[in-house]
Amino acid sequence: MTQTLEPTTGTEPSAARTRVETWLADFEAALAARDVDRAAGLFATTSFWRDLIAFTWNFTTVENRDGVADLARQTRESTGATNSRITEGEEPEEADGVVTAWFRFETAVGRGSGLLRLNDEGAWTFLTTLDELKGHEENQGTNRPRGVEHGAQKDRVTWRERRTAELEGFGRDREPYVVVIGGGQGGIALGARLRQLGVDHVVVDRHARPGDQWRSRYKSLCLHDPVWYDHLPYLPFPRNWPVFAPKDKIGDWLEMYTRVMEVNYWGSTTAKSATWDDAKKEWTVTVDRDGEEVVLHPKQLVFALGVSGKPNIPSIPGQDVFAGEQHHSSQHPGPDAYKDKRVVVIGSNNSAFDICGALWEIGADVTMVQRSSTHIVKSDSLMEIGLGGLYSEQAVEAGVTTHKADTIFASLPYRIMHEFQIPLYQQMAERDKDFYQRLEESGFRHDWGADGSGLFMKYLRRGSGYYIDVGAADLVADGKIPVKHGQVTELTETGVKLANGEELPADLVVYATGYGSMNGLAADIVGDEIADRVGKVWGLGSDTTKDPGPWEGEQRNMWKPTQQEGLWFHGGNLHQSRYYSLYLALQLKARAEGIPTPVYGLQEVHHTS
Ligand SMILES: Cc1cc2nc3c(=O)[nH]c(=O)nc-3n(C[C@H](O)[C@H](O)[C@H](O)COP(=O)(O)OP(=O)(O)OC[C@H]3O[C@@H](n4cnc5c(N)ncnc54)[C@H](O)[C@@H]3O)c2cc1C
């Protein structure tokens, strides 16, 4: 979705400005009067209020006047809004009968902002976010830390000494308030937020160095998303950063970032178990830190284990008799050792294509096995049509900051997001129609998602089923990488047998079969009982493949309170990790400070994994 964000000039308030000011004042007054019906009446018949912790201490989207009334009724004793106003320098604008306005407001405990879209009936979409807690603002700008105490001091403690004491003290002379298990980009970004908010935390990862999870992936991997989409909080990539960063470069950036953002990071540390003491309201987390057992007692435990964390390795008869090499895509070292070898890659999504492409380049005889259809979109088309309005050099030049882009994205309710996506993918289909025709003629089974809404909805719903084409799809479309169809029924000593009886000789079999739910990784640490209580992680309840209903309204269990007190999930792509880490960190900070956080609409659990 693109918007013009240039302010208009003139001295008279525009009709759009007057309408927004009136709406904000009416809404504030209705909440102050506890007049739920009046508040709900300010919304259109079909409408969406998405709140990120400002009113609900939850990630919630309510729909229509009934939903608004319910949210307002249940939160009215704890939350209201004051000082609601149009954001300075952001003139509301009107297009196609919809007025769009950026606004700010305050609650009793914090300051927030949002994006409002009014149609002729009232509010159509309304996003509210809590951005900071009063009295606990981040020390930035004029409030930045001094870094030094001038003057003469006996036994002066240096920054380095303080940092070492802090890092080494956990589990010995002090307890972290938060333990984050998983120090990939998600855990690191959250650690940076917690540091800025002054929350005692430690991020643990079984890898030795921050960034190792990217370094350990197959060697040809570069980010599939462009730089404008990928910034980390506080410290954007420099202006000469490549559009698609190679994985080792991202690994190095994450390592540097961890250090300069003063994230408390324990590498070579594997979380073994975590148990919850309901009387003490505290976790006991046992970790193996480089061979030493350390027990931590945090109040809050965050799993940042990776949505693509637990490899799905199929169990196939004959895996024990196959004489060649076999491994999951996450263990694939890259193509170098496989020149002139026969390789069968089982799977037809991102990793399968990247691996097949690199193997073909080095001269391996590679075959892809497709089991179900895949959505493919050309990287250039995705960049220009799908992301360009918000995340591109042109968007930056038009004044769309990363935060603005993230907020616009967040303001689109999941329920109708596909309606915005479908036309974009129709444009891509038209633009690349020759490619799709060749692909179809090659026999490759291609889809556009359950409702034609393409890649991003597939990602949000199931986190799989697509490939952003950076070249390898042409090899398939041109028949240079042959594709076979159907389930693999058996591995023989010399190859792979398909359901139709065909046998594919192989020296190497790669299982590019994706990843399991983060719930499965969590179960290994907290046990099945807690994992089942919390339920499936990720997905929207869209009732499409791998995302069973009922409709959830928000992504299951991500960044928000779960059915297990003190247990949270964080992750996603770099964009989600950047944006939502703020709201997760603020939830943790509020609890650390003893600020009441009554949760509206705690999600029910419909699926265990
Ligand atoms: C091949 C591939 C390409 C991708 N390309 C992109 C892209 O272009 N852009 C994008 O935004 N996203 C991309 N993603 C998706 C996603 O952004 C990455 O998977 C990213 O690494 C997720 O970050 P994370 O921190 O959530 O999880 P991870 O990076 O998976 O980190 C999880 C960490 O948890 C640790 N861990 C697990 N169990 C334990 C334990 N018991 N104790 C201690 N530590 C533990 C692991 O060591 C790991 O470091 C890609 C994913 C894959 C697999």
Side-chain angles (χ1 to χ4, degrees):
M1 174 160 187
T2 54
Q3 306 215 344
T4 311
L5 294 154
E6 290 296 316
T8 54
T9 52
T11 47
E12 286 296 305
S14 66
R17 168 171 277 272
T18 305
R19 231 190 120 196
V20 172
E21 282 173 343
T22 305
W23 192 94
L24 289 173
D26 284 352
F27 186 64
E28 194 175 297
L31 292 184
R34 310 281 195 264
D35 190 340
V36 166
D37 293 333
R38 195 169 135 211
L42 291 165
F43 282 72
T45 323
T46 300
S47 49
F48 307 88
W49 179 1
R50 184 174 196 214
D51 180 61
L52 304 181
I53 73 168
F55 290 82
T56 60
W57 285 110
N58 200 352
F59 281 29
T60 316
T61 304
V62 290
E63 297 183 14
N64 309 333
R65 290 174 180 153
D66 286 355
V68 172
D70 188 65
L71 192 162
R73 186 175 302 111
Q74 293 202 43
T75 59
R76 65 183 161 184
E77 297 313 323
S78 54
T79 329
T82 54
N83 203 11
S84 304
R85 63 205 184 277
I86 294 167
T87 304
E88 304 73 23
E90 297 290 356
E91 197 55 31
E93 56 178 39
E94 185 159 8
D96 304 326
V98 175
V99 172
T100 303
W102 298 87
F103 63 94
R104 295 190 190 283
F105 62 96
E106 293 180 26
T107 66
V109 299
R111 294 180 198 86
S113 60
L115 190 52
L116 169 68
R117 293 188 187 88
L118 293 169
N119 65 17
D120 55 4
E121 278 188 307
W124 170 45
T125 71
F126 184 50
L127 171 74
T128 47
T129 65
L130 184 75
D131 303 336
E132 63 181 3
L133 292 163
K134 289 177 185 169
H136 305 285
E137 295 81 2
E138 295 185 10
N139 294 327
Q140 294 184 354
T142 49
N143 290 329
R144 72 174 72 227
R146 269 177 72 75
V148 67
E149 286 299 321
H150 287 155
Q153 255 180 52
K154 288 237 187 254
D155 302 322
R156 183 184 283 274
V157 179
T158 65
W159 174 84
R160 164 66 56 211
E161 287 162 343
R162 209 177 48 250
R163 286 286 294 132
T164 306
E166 184 181 17
L167 262 179
E168 299 310 315
F170 292 127
R172 296 193 168 90
D173 54 29
R174 61 198 292 214
E175 292 294 345
Y177 182 73
V178 182
V179 168
V180 181
I181 304 181
Q185 68 204 27
I188 290 170
L190 181 62
R193 299 270 192 203
L194 293 172
R195 160 67 62 193
Q196 298 309 310
L197 287 167
V199 179
D200 252 359
H201 67 280
V202 65
V203 179
V204 304
D205 199 291
R206 61 178 164 219
H207 289 297
R209 289 158 54 201
D212 276 355
Q213 54 295 111
W214 277 105
R215 293 188 189 99
S216 64
R217 289 175 175 158
Y218 51 86
K219 77 176 220 176
S220 61
L221 180 64
C222 293
L223 284 191
H224 293 126
D225 295 323
V227 60
W228 306 280
Y229 194 69
D230 296 335
H231 297 297
L232 273 79
Y234 306 108
L235 194 56
F237 295 112
R239 289 193 43 80
N240 60 355
W241 192 261
V243 175
F244 300 107
K247 56 143 188 134
D248 296 284
K249 197 169 167 71
I250 280 291
D252 288 351
W253 181 267
L254 288 171
E255 187 167 11
M256 178 278 295
Y257 182 92
T258 305
R259 293 224 177 96
V260 300
M261 295 308 296
E262 301 184 14
V263 176
N264 288 333
Y265 196 96
W266 281 3
S268 303
T269 303
T270 302
K272 295 293 192 193
S273 67
T275 52
W276 173 249
D277 184 330
D278 203 41
K280 288 189 186 163
K281 302 286 178 201
E282 170 178 294
W283 291 96
T284 299
V285 182
T286 306
V287 304
D288 175 329
R289 189 178 181 206
D290 220 0
E292 182 196 350
E293 185 178 288
V294 182
V295 180
L296 299 164
H297 296 100
K299 300 288 183 192
Q300 312 289 341
L301 181 64
V302 181
F303 283 129
L305 298 166
V307 176
S308 313
K310 186 159 187 159
N312 260 339
I313 304 177
S315 179
I316 303 170
Q319 280 170 319
D320 52 340
V321 299
F322 178 59
E325 200 185 331
Q326 48 185 317
H327 52 233
H328 186 260
S329 57
S330 56
Q331 268 97 48
H332 182 66
D336 298 355
Y338 306 108
K339 184 171 163 40
D340 299 326
K341 301 280 187 208
R342 295 160 307 173
V343 184
V344 173
V345 176
I346 302 173
S348 54
N349 293 332
N350 260 327
S351 298
F353 271 96
D354 276 355
I355 290 170
C356 283
L359 285 165
W360 183 88
E361 282 179 351
I362 205 155
D365 171 6
V366 57
T367 303
M368 181 186 283
V369 176
Q370 183 177 34
R371 299 167 307 155
S372 55
S373 73
T374 307
H375 168 54
I376 298 182
V377 62
K378 292 255 166 211
S379 174
D380 288 349
S381 304
L382 182 66
M383 288 233 303
E384 280 168 43
I385 299 171
L387 289 174
L390 295 179
Y391 301 96
S392 65
E393 210 57 52
Q394 292 72 24
V396 172
E397 279 161 18
V400 186
T401 61
T402 308
H403 186 68
K404 212 172 215 182
D406 290 351
T407 310
I408 293 171
F409 224 109
S411 73
L412 295 179
Y414 288 128
R415 176 76 90 177
I416 54 169
M417 195 176 267
H418 62 284
E419 294 172 15
F420 293 89
Q421 298 288 310
I422 290 168
L424 302 180
Y425 287 86
Q426 286 169 342
Q427 280 181 56
M428 294 184 219
E430 180 57 28
R431 173 178 152 142
D432 298 319
K433 64 177 179 223
D434 294 345
F435 161 73
Y436 289 112
Q437 195 178 337
R438 277 190 293 122
L439 193 65
E440 196 179 308
E441 285 164 8
S442 77
F444 189 86
R445 292 183 193 138
H446 179 257
D447 69 74
W448 290 93
D451 46 11
S453 59
L455 188 134
F456 196 64
M457 295 313 300
K458 267 199 166 186
Y459 171 71
L460 291 172
R461 290 166 175 170
R462 54 180 279 192
S464 64
Y466 47 78
Y467 170 54
I468 301 174
D469 180 31
V470 290
D474 277 315
L475 295 173
V476 168
D478 295 343
K480 291 176 179 154
I481 296 177
V483 179
K484 303 288 176 183
H485 296 283
Q487 294 301 324
V488 174
T489 52
E490 188 186 343
L491 260 62
T492 63
E493 199 181 337
T494 53
V496 170
K497 215 173 193 180
L498 300 178
N500 65 5
E502 189 176 1
E503 193 168 338
L504 309 171
D507 304 302
L508 166 69
V509 175
V510 180
Y511 301 108
T513 38
Y515 297 84
S517 163
M518 212 188 318
N519 179 284
L521 278 173
D524 294 346
I525 298 169
V526 289
D528 289 341
E529 196 189 325
I530 291 183
D532 286 352
R533 188 180 315 146
V534 167
K536 187 173 166 71
V537 180
W538 204 260
L540 296 168
S542 61
D543 214 8
T544 57
T545 308
K546 297 192 180 176
D547 183 27
W551 180 249
E552 305 269 353
E554 293 287 331
Q555 285 206 283
R556 289 184 194 93
N557 278 318
M558 294 301 294
W559 311 289
K560 57 181 184 168
T562 66
Q563 289 285 348
Q564 171 59 55
E565 193 178 348
L567 183 63
W568 310 80
F569 291 88
H570 175 51
N573 63 27
L574 283 152
H575 151 242
Q576 293 172 301
S577 200
R578 167 183 68 239
Y579 184 68
Y580 292 121
S581 56
L582 171 63
Y583 306 110
L584 174 51
L586 284 170
Q587 292 173 82
L588 297 168
K589 175 68 177 175
R591 284 161 176 82
E593 297 298 335
I595 295 168
T597 53
V599 174
Y600 166 79
L602 182 67
Q603 68 192 321
E604 289 168 27
V605 173
H606 304 286
H607 307 282
T608 49
S609 60

